[in-house]
Amino acid sequence: MIAVLLPLPVLVPLLGAGLALVLGRRPRGQRVVSLASLTVALAAAVSLVVLVDRDGPESLEVGRWAPGVGISLVADRLSVLMLVVSATVLLGVLVYAVGEGVTDGDRSGTPVSIFHPTYLVLAAGVANAFLAGDLFNLYVGFEVLLAASYVLLTLGGTAARVQAGITYVVVSLISSFLFLVGIALVYAVTGTLNMAQVSLRMAEVPADVQVVVHLVLLLAFGIKAAVFPLSAWLPDSYPTAAAPVTAVFAGLLTKVGVYAVVRTETLLFTEDSQRTLLLVAAVATMVVGALGAIAQSDIKRLLSFTLVSHIGYMVFGVGLGSEQGLAGALYYVGHHILIQTALFLVVGLVERRAGSTSLLRLGGLATTAPALAVLFFVPAMNLGGIPPLSGFLGKAVLLQAGVADGGPLAWTAVAGAALTSLLTLYAVAKVWGKAFWRPLDAVPPADPGADAGDGAPRTGSSAARTATVLTDVADSDAGSTRVTTAPRAAETLPASRSMWGATIGLVAVTLGLTVFAGPLTALTATAAADLVRPSVYVTAVLVEGEAGLSGGEVGLPPEPGTPGARTAP
C-alpha cells in the first residue's frame, strides 16, 4: 500500500501537468484534469497521514536502489502533515483560480492554457520537497518550485510582474547556489546525500567543519523561508502577482524553506546547535516584519510583511529545540499556511469588489459587502492571535515552550512574540477600520502626489465616494512606463460562486484548526517527539526500509520503546 501511495502526491500532478499541456486548446478539459489531479493528491496525502500516524515513518527507494544511490522518498509525521496542508491549499486556490478564469475570460490577460500545467508542476515540486529523503532530491524539488513559480509570478506579462519576477528569480538563484554548495560540502564530508545516512555520519565530522556546512545550509534555507535579514525580496515580489498566485505563494512557498530548516536542525546537525543564531533571527524577523506591516497602506503589502513577521514564530520554535517548541512550530506552520492563503483570497475578492487594495481609497465595505467583511474579520482576528482561535493556541504553545526554556534569549523571544502579536493585531485592525468600518463619506479625497501605498506617485484630485474609484493607469512614455492615477470609475469585477466557495471553504478550514485543536496538537506533539529522536527517521529508512539493515549495522544504539519506531525484522 505505502509503495503505491507514497509517490502519488508527486506523480499525479506531474502526469496531470503533461495532460493539461496536451489539452492546451480545451480549457474545460484542463480544468477537469487539474481539479482531478489535486483531488487525488489530497486523498493520497490524507491516506498517508492515517498510515504514518498508525504505523510510524515509511520510506520508499524508487527503483529499489540502495539508500544513498537512488531517489529516496520518506513519509514521517512532519512530511505528511505538510503534504495534507499544502494539498488542501493548492486545491482550494485552484478552485478559486478556475472560477476567476471562467468569470474573466480573456479580460484577465492571463494565459489559462499555461496556468494549469504550471500550477500542477508547482504542486509536484512542493510534494517532492516534503517527501525527499535525500538532499539532492530536496534540491530538485526546490528547483521545480522555482521554475514553476517564476512562470506563475509573471503570468500576464505586466511590467510590474516581470520586474518582481526578476527580483524573485535572482534571489532564488542565489539561494539555490548556496544550497548546491551546501550539498557539495555535505557529500565531501560524509560521502552521501541520503539524509538518514548524513544524520549518522555527520557526528563523525570535526566540529568546525560541521559549523561551516551547517551555516551554508541555514543561509540557503533562510532565504527561501524569508527569515530576516534575508526577507527584503518578499514584500516586493508577491503582491504584484494575480490573486490566486499571490495566495498560494504567500501561504505555501516560504513554508517549504521552514520545513528545510526543521529537517536541518533536527536530523542533519544533531551535534551542532545554532540555537542562539536561530533565536536572534526569530526575534528580528517577528519584530521587523510587524513594524513593516503597520507602516503599509496597501493591504497586499501589509499582509506580505505579516507573512515575514510570522515566519519568526516558526523559527522561534525551531530555535528552542525542545519537543514542546517544535510541536508549537509545527502547529503554527499549518495554521499560518491556511490563514495567510485565506486572507489573500479575501483580498482578491476585495480588489474585485472595490477596484483597489489601497487603504487610502477603500471604505464602507462592511456596509456594502457584509459577507466579505465577515470573511476578512475571522482570519484576520485569527492571525492577530485572538482567543480561542488557532493563532492564539499556536502562540500559546510557543510562549509556554519559551518560558519552560528559561534562558535569556528564550525570554527575549517570548517578549518579541507577545509584542509582535499586538502589532499584528494593530495592523489588521487598521485594515478593518479603514477598508471595512470607515464610512464612504469619510474616505479622504486623493492627495496630489500622495503615495497610495504601492510606492507610485499620484496625481489628480477628484474623490469619488461611491466606491474606491481611483485606478492606476500604466502609460508608455518615451519607452518608459509611468503609473498615474486617473479620476475615473474603478474597474470592479464580479466574483463567481467558485471564488466565493473556495474562500469560504478555506476560512472554514481555518476555523477547523480551532474546533479540532485537541487532536491536531496531539498529532503535532507526536511529530515533534519523532523529530527530537532522529533514530526514528533513520530506522525507518535504513533498518525498516528496503535497505533491510540492522540497527547495529547502521550504528544505531538499541532504543526499545521509541515512539513511532517498529521492531526491525
Side-chain angles (χ1 to χ4, degrees), residues 238-534:
Y238 286 1
T240 59
V245 174
T246 303
V248 78
F249 279 23
L252 197 53
L253 293 196
T254 51
K255 309 310 184 299
V256 182
V258 173
Y259 168 84
V261 171
V262 173
R263 282 284 183 231
T264 303
E265 297 308 304
T266 60
L267 182 63
L268 303 185
F269 296 95
T270 55
E271 302 292 326
D272 177 50
S273 174
Q274 294 295 332
R275 286 189 53 203
T276 300
L277 176 64
L278 287 172
L279 287 175
V280 170
V283 175
T285 304
M286 286 189 285
V287 176
V288 173
L291 291 174
I294 62 176
Q296 301 306 310
S297 58
D298 182 89
I299 304 177
K300 287 183 178 179
R301 286 184 61 83
L302 185 149
L303 289 178
S304 295
F305 274 97
T306 64
L307 165 61
V308 172
S309 172
H310 286 236
I311 292 294
Y313 283 101
M314 303 159 210
V315 178
F316 173 28
V318 178
L320 289 174
S322 63
E323 189 173 318
Q324 189 179 21
L326 287 169
L330 298 188
Y331 183 81
Y332 206 82
V333 168
H335 148 82
H336 196 251
I337 289 174
L338 292 164
I339 286 292
Q340 204 75 35
T341 306
L343 278 171
F344 269 101
L345 290 186
V346 173
V347 173
L349 293 177
V350 167
E351 189 169 21
R352 297 178 73 85
R353 169 83 185 192
S356 174
T357 56
S358 171
L359 294 176
L360 301 179
R361 307 170 187 176
L362 291 172
L365 286 173
T367 303
T368 59
L372 198 53
V374 172
L375 283 180
F376 176 81
F377 185 79
V378 174
M381 293 299 102
N382 205 336
L383 183 70
I386 295 297
L389 298 171
S390 57
F392 168 78
L393 298 175
K395 291 184 178 78
V397 175
L398 287 168
L399 294 182
Q400 288 175 353
V403 171
D405 183 280
L409 264 179
W411 274 107
T412 304
V414 168
L419 174 64
T420 300
S421 186
L422 293 175
L423 292 174
T424 302
L425 196 57
Y426 173 78
V428 295
K430 172 181 164 184
V431 175
W432 174 261
K434 290 193 174 182
F436 293 89
W437 201 247
R438 177 172 58 180
L440 283 173
D441 291 341
V443 177
D447 182 12
D451 189 336
D454 53 7
R458 304 301 178 203
T459 60
S461 58
S462 177
R465 307 300 178 87
T466 56
T468 54
V469 296
L470 298 182
T471 56
D472 295 334
V473 182
D475 299 326
S476 294
D477 182 13
S480 62
T481 299
R482 61 186 175 87
V483 180
T484 60
T485 299
R488 62 179 173 81
E491 184 183 3
T492 60
L493 296 169
S496 67
R497 290 181 180 177
S498 297
M499 298 169 71
W500 280 97
T503 308
I504 293 170
L506 276 179
V507 172
V509 172
T510 64
L511 290 176
L513 292 178
T514 303
V515 175
F516 301 103
L520 290 174
T521 51
L523 188 58
T524 54
T526 310
D530 288 351
L531 291 176
V532 297
R533 297 176 181 83

Side-chain angles (χ1 to χ4, degrees), residues 43-434:
V46 172
S47 302
L48 284 171
V49 167
V50 175
L51 288 176
V52 170
D53 189 47
R54 186 189 66 190
D55 301 333
E58 301 281 358
S59 68
L60 174 69
E61 299 298 328
V62 178
R64 293 187 175 276
W65 290 91
V69 179
I71 297 174
S72 177
L73 299 178
V74 182
D76 64 348
R77 289 184 176 88
L78 169 61
S79 58
V80 294
L81 281 173
M82 298 297 290
L83 266 184
V84 166
V85 176
S86 63
T88 303
V89 164
L90 285 162
L91 183 59
V93 172
L94 178 64
V95 172
Y96 183 101
V98 166
E100 187 177 67
V102 171
T103 304
D104 292 353
D106 295 333
R107 282 183 304 177
S108 66
T110 301
V112 178
S113 60
I114 296 175
F115 171 81
H116 284 281
T118 309
Y119 191 79
L120 291 175
V121 170
L122 178 79
V126 170
N128 188 59
F130 290 148
L131 291 174
D134 61 86
L135 285 173
F136 189 75
N137 198 25
L138 180 61
Y139 174 79
V140 170
F142 277 135
E143 292 310 294
V144 172
L145 278 175
L146 170 62
S149 56
Y150 177 70
V151 174
L152 290 172
L153 193 63
T154 56
L155 275 180
T158 64
R161 290 181 184 177
V162 171
Q163 184 176 0
I166 291 172
T167 303
Y168 176 78
V169 83
V170 167
V171 171
S172 297
L173 285 175
I174 293 172
S175 171
S176 297
F177 173 74
L178 289 170
F179 189 10
L180 205 54
V181 171
I183 287 175
L185 292 174
V186 168
Y187 190 80
V189 298
T190 65
T192 182
L193 295 178
N194 182 281
M195 288 196 273
Q197 292 177 332
V198 171
S199 178
L200 294 173
R201 298 180 187 178
M202 191 59 75
E204 302 168 3
V205 175
D208 52 346
V209 178
Q210 281 194 51
V211 171
V212 173
V213 180
H214 195 170
L215 290 178
V216 170
L217 288 178
L218 274 183
L219 190 60
F221 299 147
I223 294 174
K224 292 185 183 297
V227 177
F228 183 83
L230 309 172
S231 56
W233 58 273
L234 191 148
D236 291 329
S237 297
Y238 286 1
T240 59
V245 174
T246 303
V248 78
F249 279 23
L252 197 53
L253 293 196
T254 51
K255 309 310 184 299
V256 182
V258 173
Y259 168 84
V261 171
V262 173
R263 282 284 183 231
T264 303
E265 297 308 304
T266 60
L267 182 63
L268 303 185
F269 296 95
T270 55
E271 302 292 326
D272 177 50
S273 174
Q274 294 295 332
R275 286 189 53 203
T276 300
L277 176 64
L278 287 172
L279 287 175
V280 170
V283 175
T285 304
M286 286 189 285
V287 176
V288 173
L291 291 174
I294 62 176
Q296 301 306 310
S297 58
D298 182 89
I299 304 177
K300 287 183 178 179
R301 286 184 61 83
L302 185 149
L303 289 178
S304 295
F305 274 97
T306 64
L307 165 61
V308 172
S309 172
H310 286 236
I311 292 294
Y313 283 101
M314 303 159 210
V315 178
F316 173 28
V318 178
L320 289 174
S322 63
E323 189 173 318
Q324 189 179 21
L326 287 169
L330 298 188
Y331 183 81
Y332 206 82
V333 168
H335 148 82
H336 196 251
I337 289 174
L338 292 164
I339 286 292
Q340 204 75 35
T341 306
L343 278 171
F344 269 101
L345 290 186
V346 173
V347 173
L349 293 177
V350 167
E351 189 169 21
R352 297 178 73 85
R353 169 83 185 192
S356 174
T357 56
S358 171
L359 294 176
L360 301 179
R361 307 170 187 176
L362 291 172
L365 286 173
T367 303
T368 59
L372 198 53
V374 172
L375 283 180
F376 176 81
F377 185 79
V378 174
M381 293 299 102
N382 205 336
L383 183 70
I386 295 297
L389 298 171
S390 57
F392 168 78
L393 298 175
K395 291 184 178 78
V397 175
L398 287 168
L399 294 182
Q400 288 175 353
V403 171
D405 183 280
L409 264 179
W411 274 107
T412 304
V414 168
L419 174 64
T420 300
S421 186
L422 293 175
L423 292 174
T424 302
L425 196 57
Y426 173 78
V428 295
K430 172 181 164 184
V431 175
W432 174 261
K434 290 193 174 182

